[in-house]
Amino acid sequence: MTPKSGNTKSHDSWTGDPAQLLRVGAGFRLAEVDPGATPGYAGGRKGAELDLAAGAARLGELQERLFAQSRSDATADSVLLVLQAMDTAGKGGIVRHVIGAVDPQGVALTAFKKPTPEELAHDFLWRVERRLPASGFIGVFDRSHYEDVLIGRVRALAPPEEIERRYGAIADFERRVADAGTRIVKVMLHISADEQKARLMERLDRPDKHWKYNPGDVDERELWPQYMAAYQTVFERTSTLDAPWHVVPADAKWYARLAVQALLLQALEAIDPQWPAATFDVAAERARLAAT
Amino acid sequence: MTPKSGNTKSHDSWTGDPAQLLRVGAGFRLAEVDPGATPGYAGGRKGAELDLAAGAARLGELQERLFAQSRSDATADSVLLVLQAMDTAGKGGIVRHVIGAVDPQGVALTAFKKPTPEELAHDFLWRVERRLPASGFIGVFDRSHYEDVLIGRVRALAPPEEIERRYGAIADFERRVADAGTRIVKVMLHISADEQKARLMERLDRPDKHWKYNPGDVDERELWPQYMAAYQTVFERTSTLDAPWHVVPADAKWYARLAVQALLLQALEAIDPQWPAATFDVAAERARLAAT
């Protein structure tokens, strides 16, 4: 399950490997990441549009192979994209524009909300386990078990020793999931506080966006430094070889979409799924069919 | 819940109302439908490509409104597309090309397979109930409870009196679902036996399609007349005002996709979802946000 290094061949305007450039490694400091940057990409907004379309075609083909492979091998690999971010950072746009280009039949999307009473009566990973992608699927988590160490920590929704326990539990859980054949791609979309302010203001300015606005968003915004500290801790405790974190600058939506697509493409290229061989006698079936 | 009649305004090459033309009404005979026809559409394959793209944009906007409406009203409407067909008729293509154009966050897709032992230990509608779309969602059933009166009948998977019971149970079930706010769009994609043969042969000819071929498909094909009779009975017993059936000629894939899109558009236009009013004081929130 060691990720192969590789470059996304279909993307001509990348000047560096996004997986390497965006990966959270030793000594990583979130505070040093510029949310307005576009690391490793030289094509600009126009180039990104073309590269996103080319990447979508490639992603579609790889997804179909991944799915096909799983039809005759129930232990075949799967992919899990975990999306975390502050409000308005663009998780929805990733789902719509990157995941939306893939055949819906091969995608398993879960938007995790505030836990229900039933979910709270179980360990925090219980509801997550149930939503893991089956063999051959691309799973997408819009929010995830990381909420339990982000808002969970900032809002003290559990005792400190319970929050502390969770980091190790997550690392163990993700190691098992990876060992069982799921390639995990963890992404934090990183926007600046100023950009969030502008995006929230736009939601207030447009009646067709009012439904996306929640007064609670401003309450959370006032805890920005605490959230950034909680993310820093998440990165230090849970960016593992099995499931590394990537911090994707997201003030430029076009960059964030292209970068997440590139990370997904690399995960699929590392799996390198193949069309499965026929499990029947092709000539015999052709004769049977011809006779009908 | 009575469907409004209406025409799909965005589709210029329709010469008739697809919902009316394709709906199963009194005296309907499946045997009289030409699977190669393209009723009500004069644009041909080229026109269909343009109309499908225009329709996708309109579908996307209506879906977002439907979803938005449900955020502040948990009793808001939903849509359920039920897809039934013989193998290779193009259900997967509908999901990919019609549903695939909609934001995945607003779609709930279920592909019903052979029932599991747990599902068989319950009434046949048990697993269906669990997959009904929540308020604001477009649910899609790739196969459905109708399998239980199609293959169920043809293969005698249940006693005749149990099969008989199910038609009434389905009508009652769908009436309740419709009354509770789900607009049900039932579609049979209708291909000819010759077209199926050609499509199955193509799967045998192409190694990248072998995974889609199942020797059992030929066994089912040999029961073609029995399946057509079972469909005819389904239409007579379950095409109701609450949930009418539509038979969509599907030898021309481009027509089938455009027609199903048009039926979905009409369902959404009949709901006519509106952006919900703000549930907060917009000016006060603007001031709060500005102060951060």
Side-chain angles (χ1 to χ4, degrees):
Chain A
M1 283 296 120
T2 314
K4 295 177 199 167
S5 84
N7 40 25
T8 48
K9 298 161 204 103
S10 47
H11 289 165
D12 285 349
S13 298
W14 284 103
T15 59
D17 177 356
Q20 296 295 335
L21 289 166
L22 303 173
R23 186 169 302 160
V24 170
F28 174 87
R29 298 294 309 161
L30 179 58
E32 290 164 9
V33 176
D34 174 5
T38 59
Y41 191 74
R45 180 194 300 261
K46 286 278 181 212
E49 212 169 288
L50 297 173
D51 279 341
L52 195 71
R58 175 93 182 114
L59 194 59
E61 194 204 314
L62 285 163
Q63 177 273 322
E64 194 180 354
R65 284 173 182 260
L66 184 75
F67 189 82
Q69 190 173 261
S70 73
R71 294 307 89 181
S72 52
D73 175 9
T75 69
D77 286 348
S78 60
V79 171
L80 174 62
L81 174 65
V82 175
L83 293 172
Q84 285 289 155
M86 297 297 282
D87 281 324
T88 77
K91 287 188 283 84
I94 298 288
V95 172
R96 187 186 290 232
H97 297 283
V98 178
I99 302 302
V102 175
D103 188 341
Q105 297 168 97
V107 172
L109 169 68
T110 304
F112 286 99
K113 309 288 185 191
K114 192 178 156 184
T116 65
E118 188 190 18
E119 289 169 348
L120 286 172
H122 293 270
D123 182 50
F124 76 110
L125 291 172
W126 179 76
R127 66 175 186 163
V128 177
E129 181 86 40
R130 292 153 55 103
R131 308 301 297 184
L132 289 172
S135 179
F137 278 78
I138 298 177
V140 181
F141 285 177
D142 175 352
R143 305 187 189 275
S144 67
H145 43 299
Y146 285 100
E147 291 296 320
D148 299 289
V149 288
L150 289 166
I151 191 170
R153 183 184 181 108
V154 171
R155 292 283 185 185
L157 302 180
E161 60 275 18
E162 165 62 10
I163 301 285
E164 188 58 30
R165 178 188 75 82
R166 290 176 181 171
Y167 297 105
I170 288 173
D172 289 348
F173 170 74
E174 292 180 349
R175 186 183 318 112
R176 168 170 63 84
V177 170
D179 286 348
T182 300
R183 200 163 285 259
I184 304 172
V185 179
K186 298 192 296 198
V187 168
M188 183 233 186
L189 299 175
H190 187 37
I191 56 166
S192 64
D194 283 351
E195 178 68 19
Q196 189 196 52
K197 191 174 189 170
R199 293 184 187 180
L200 285 173
M201 203 58 92
E202 194 196 357
R203 290 183 180 179
L204 287 170
D205 288 343
R206 290 177 52 178
D208 64 330
K209 298 284 184 195
H210 283 168
W211 68 278
K212 290 190 172 187
Y213 183 88
N214 177 342
D217 297 347
V218 174
D219 303 329
E220 295 304 297
R221 175 174 167 75
E222 286 171 343
L223 297 168
W224 192 276
Q226 290 90 322
Y227 272 103
M228 293 304 111
Y231 271 107
Q232 176 68 35
T233 303
V234 159
F235 298 144
E236 288 168 8
R237 303 288 295 276
T238 68
S239 196
T240 60
L241 277 177
D242 297 311
W245 273 102
H246 303 86
V247 172
V248 173
D251 278 3
K253 289 178 182 174
W254 59 263
Y255 176 80
R257 291 170 188 170
L258 192 66
V260 174
Q261 187 192 63
L263 295 173
L264 272 179
L265 281 169
Q266 284 207 11
L268 282 156
E269 283 163 358
I271 293 172
D272 193 22
Q274 301 298 319
W275 299 118
T279 53
F280 47 84
D281 180 332
V282 176
E285 287 301 317
R286 204 177 271 129
R288 274 183 77 214
L289 177 59
T292 63
Chain B
M1 280 296 121
T2 315
K4 293 176 199 170
S5 84
N7 40 26
T8 48
K9 297 159 205 106
S10 46
H11 290 167
D12 283 350
S13 300
W14 283 102
T15 58
D17 177 355
Q20 297 295 334
L21 290 166
L22 303 173
R23 186 170 301 160
V24 171
F28 174 87
R29 300 293 311 160
L30 179 59
E32 290 164 10
V33 177
D34 174 5
T38 59
Y41 191 75
R45 181 194 299 263
K46 285 281 180 209
E49 211 169 289
L50 297 172
D51 278 340
L52 194 71
R58 175 93 182 115
L59 193 59
E61 194 204 315
L62 285 163
Q63 177 274 323
E64 194 180 355
R65 283 174 183 262
L66 183 76
F67 189 82
Q69 189 172 263
S70 73
R71 295 306 90 182
S72 52
D73 175 9
T75 69
D77 285 348
S78 58
V79 171
L80 174 61
L81 174 66
V82 174
L83 293 172
Q84 285 290 155
M86 298 297 283
D87 281 324
T88 76
K91 289 189 283 82
I94 298 287
V95 172
R96 188 186 289 231
H97 297 283
V98 179
I99 302 302
V102 175
D103 188 340
Q105 296 167 99
V107 172
L109 169 68
T110 303
F112 287 98
K113 309 289 186 191
K114 192 177 158 187
T116 64
E118 187 188 20
E119 288 168 349
L120 286 172
H122 293 270
D123 181 50
F124 77 111
L125 291 171
W126 179 76
R127 65 175 187 164
V128 177
E129 181 86 42
R130 292 152 55 104
R131 308 300 297 184
L132 289 171
S135 179
F137 279 78
I138 298 177
V140 180
F141 285 176
D142 175 351
R143 307 185 186 274
S144 68
H145 42 299
Y146 285 100
E147 292 295 322
D148 299 290
V149 288
L150 289 165
I151 191 169
R153 184 184 179 105
V154 172
R155 291 282 185 187
L157 301 179
E161 61 275 19
E162 163 63 9
I163 300 287
E164 190 57 30
R165 180 189 74 84
R166 289 176 182 170
Y167 297 105
I170 289 173
D172 290 348
F173 170 74
E174 291 180 351
R175 185 180 322 111
R176 168 171 62 85
V177 170
D179 286 348
T182 300
R183 199 162 284 261
I184 303 172
V185 179
K186 297 192 294 198
V187 169
M188 183 233 189
L189 299 175
H190 187 37
I191 55 166
S192 63
D194 284 350
E195 178 67 20
Q196 189 197 50
K197 190 174 189 170
R199 292 184 187 180
L200 285 173
M201 204 56 95
E202 194 196 357
R203 290 183 181 179
L204 287 170
D205 288 342
R206 289 176 51 178
D208 64 332
K209 298 285 184 197
H210 282 169
W211 68 277
K212 291 190 173 187
Y213 183 89
N214 178 342
D217 296 347
V218 173
D219 303 329
E220 295 305 296
R221 176 174 165 75
E222 286 170 344
L223 297 168
W224 192 277
Q226 290 90 321
Y227 273 104
M228 293 306 109
Y231 270 107
Q232 177 68 35
T233 304
V234 159
F235 298 143
E236 288 167 9
R237 304 288 295 275
T238 67
S239 197
T240 60
L241 278 176
D242 298 312
W245 272 102
H246 302 84
V247 172
V248 174
D251 278 3
K253 289 179 183 176
W254 59 263
Y255 176 79
R257 291 169 189 171
L258 192 66
V260 174
Q261 187 192 65
L263 295 173
L264 272 179
L265 280 169
Q266 285 206 11
L268 282 155
E269 281 163 0
I271 293 173
D272 192 23
Q274 301 297 319
W275 298 118
T279 53
F280 49 83
D281 179 332
V282 176
E285 287 301 318
R286 206 177 267 130
R288 275 184 77 214
L289 176 58
T292 62

